[in-house]
Amino acid sequence: MITKADIINEPYSGQYKERIYDITSSWNSLNWTWVKFEDIDFNEWCGEFRGSPRAVALSKKHNKVLVLTSDYLFQVDCVSGELTEYESQPQYQCLTITPSGDFIIADYYGIEIIKSTIKDKRPLESPIKMDTIKFHGWSNNKLLITCDEILNWSKHVELELDGDTLVITIKDLI
């Protein structure tokens, strides 16, 4: 069972047991992302995923790992290590996990919550129309988010997502 997942640089040949997660498509880039996995017995192995690295998140609640690359959003089962679903050519830029174990993902203009599978997505309401969304980590159950306001690109805004209520608020108004 996978208990840890981290994006790493390309490992030396033979450094880890490797497993390739690739989807056959003429649209694939030549880039790869390497993720070091660790299981419950502290055994390490490496997964090789098509596309440039963006993010990885592991949910113990759902027993899933999501790997976001420039080419795909991969969903890997923590128990078997098998690829269970994928989404081609994702526009997503950011990925994180709530303290309760649900995935939060963002493209340039919106934020969504992913529950048990990548097909189970729901958009989160925002107090403003967002552009160029970036996640900056969790603090006290709040995800710090920065973005630009659409139609007012000179206005750089800091937002917070409450990890319990999943409500997004403008940080200065709190």
Side-chain angles (χ1 to χ4, degrees):
M1 177 170 212
I2 298 170
T3 58
K4 190 174 179 186
D6 296 302
I7 292 176
I8 62 171
N9 291 325
E10 180 178 1
Y12 293 113
S13 178
Q15 184 177 1
Y16 300 105
K17 182 178 174 185
E18 293 186 34
R19 184 170 187 174
I20 297 173
Y21 296 87
D22 196 12
I23 311 301
T24 303
S25 171
S26 57
W27 298 104
N28 284 345
S29 71
L30 299 176
N31 302 319
W32 290 92
T33 296
W34 288 269
V35 176
K36 182 174 75 169
F37 295 106
E38 186 176 291
D39 68 18
I40 199 161
D41 297 321
F42 304 104
N43 297 312
E44 296 178 333
W45 54 282
C46 190
E48 200 171 331
F49 296 85
R50 178 71 72 167
S52 299
R54 290 199 178 145
V56 64
L58 183 146
S59 171
K60 292 179 182 177
K61 174 181 176 180
H62 298 295
N63 280 327
K64 303 276 188 287
V65 176
L66 295 187
V67 178
L68 177 61
T69 73
S70 57
D71 291 15
Y72 296 95
L73 174 61
F74 296 91
Q75 178 180 291
V76 176
D77 182 77
C78 283
V79 177
S80 67
E82 295 294 321
L83 178 65
T84 54
E85 290 186 35
Y86 67 91
E87 190 174 308
S88 301
Q89 304 296 315
Q91 297 300 308
Y92 303 114
Q93 302 298 311
C94 303
L95 171 67
T96 190
I97 189 94
T98 66
S100 66
D102 292 320
F103 297 102
I104 303 291
I105 197 159
D107 59 15
Y108 290 107
Y109 307 108
I111 300 173
E112 296 176 308
I113 183 167
I114 299 174
K115 294 283 189 171
S116 58
T117 74
I118 60 176
K119 294 190 185 322
D120 184 15
K121 287 185 240 171
R122 178 175 62 84
L124 298 179
E125 295 289 325
S126 173
I128 62 168
K129 299 252 187 227
M130 301 177 287
D131 188 17
T132 319
I133 299 167
K134 292 187 178 141
F135 295 165
H136 297 281
W138 291 88
S139 176
N140 298 326
N141 204 37
K142 306 270 186 193
L143 175 62
L144 178 60
I145 304 165
T146 58
C147 66
D148 295 328
E149 185 174 11
I150 288 185
L151 301 179
N152 190 4
W153 284 276
S154 63
K155 185 174 181 187
H156 195 65
V157 182
E158 287 188 354
L159 305 169
E160 283 185 336
L161 169 66
D162 186 290
D164 292 325
T165 64
L166 300 176
V167 172
I168 300 171
T169 55
I170 298 175
K171 192 171 180 192
D172 296 336
L173 298 178
I174 297 174

